[in-house]
Every structure is written in C-alpha cells, then in structure tokens.
Amino acid sequence: MRSCWRPASDGAIVRACDYLPDAAPRLRRAALNARAEACKLLISNGVDLKKKNNAGKTAAEMCPESADTLKSYLMQQTNVNKGADDDDLDSEFGEV
C-alpha cells in the first residue's frame, strides 16, 4: 500500500491526504460506478473506507454485484483497512 506522505515545496514531509477534502464520497461514487483504479488510488492515499453515506452505506455496500472482484476487494479493505494485499485487484485491473 502506498503512503500519502509527500514532500512539500519547502522540503518538509506532509501527509497529502490531510489536505484533501473528505475523499469518502469520492470513493463511494467510484465504487458505485465500478471504477477499480479510482478506488485503489483513493484507498492507497488513506481514505476512510468505513465512512457511510446518509443512507448508512459504505463504498463496499454501494459497489454493484456485477463488479464482484472490486466488491470483494472493497469488503476486504474495509475489514482490514490497512496493509491488505492488492494482488487480486492488480491481476484483474492492473497496477495503479
């Protein structure tokens, strides 16, 4: 899993995802539209997979059944929420 720590222009190391607006809605939208690469990118940058929308659904719950590999990956990442193996998704969708 890639870190979201990035060098700043002044040489300091900052956590890039701390400066992004809440990315959980973007993850849920990417999951709903079965956008595996977008989901992986957001997850690798530290998005909170356990955040729910107003209807009480996580990204994994919003992912369509037809995208079973992505749905399984999101469920695994939601349960583990760090350090999970990306090999299954990489083999189907390629590395991000």
Side-chain angles (χ1 to χ4, degrees):
M1 194 152 131
R2 281 181 266 179
S3 170
C4 65
W5 294 95
R6 303 285 186 257
S9 59
D10 63 359
I13 303 296
V14 297
R15 186 173 157 98
C17 45
D18 289 342
Y19 295 96
L20 297 173
D22 183 13
R26 290 180 177 89
L27 177 64
R28 289 191 299 268
R29 183 175 301 135
L32 180 64
N33 292 304
R35 303 286 310 265
E37 290 183 30
C39 289
K40 267 187 76 176
L41 183 62
L42 288 163
I43 291 167
S44 71
N45 282 289
V47 68
D48 184 354
L49 287 101
K50 295 182 179 185
K51 280 196 173 180
K52 297 180 179 187
N53 66 4
N54 290 338
K57 294 189 176 194
T58 64
E61 294 166 332
M62 293 180 70
C63 188
E65 296 295 330
S66 60
D68 56 341
T69 303
L70 177 57
K71 188 172 187 76
S72 172
Y73 174 78
L74 290 170
M75 295 290 277
Q76 175 190 17
Q77 292 296 311
T78 300
N79 292 331
V80 173
N81 207 17
K82 64 180 178 180
D85 188 8
D86 293 342
D87 290 342
D88 291 340
L89 199 60
D90 284 344
S91 66
E92 183 155 333
F93 297 104
E95 281 191 48
V96 174

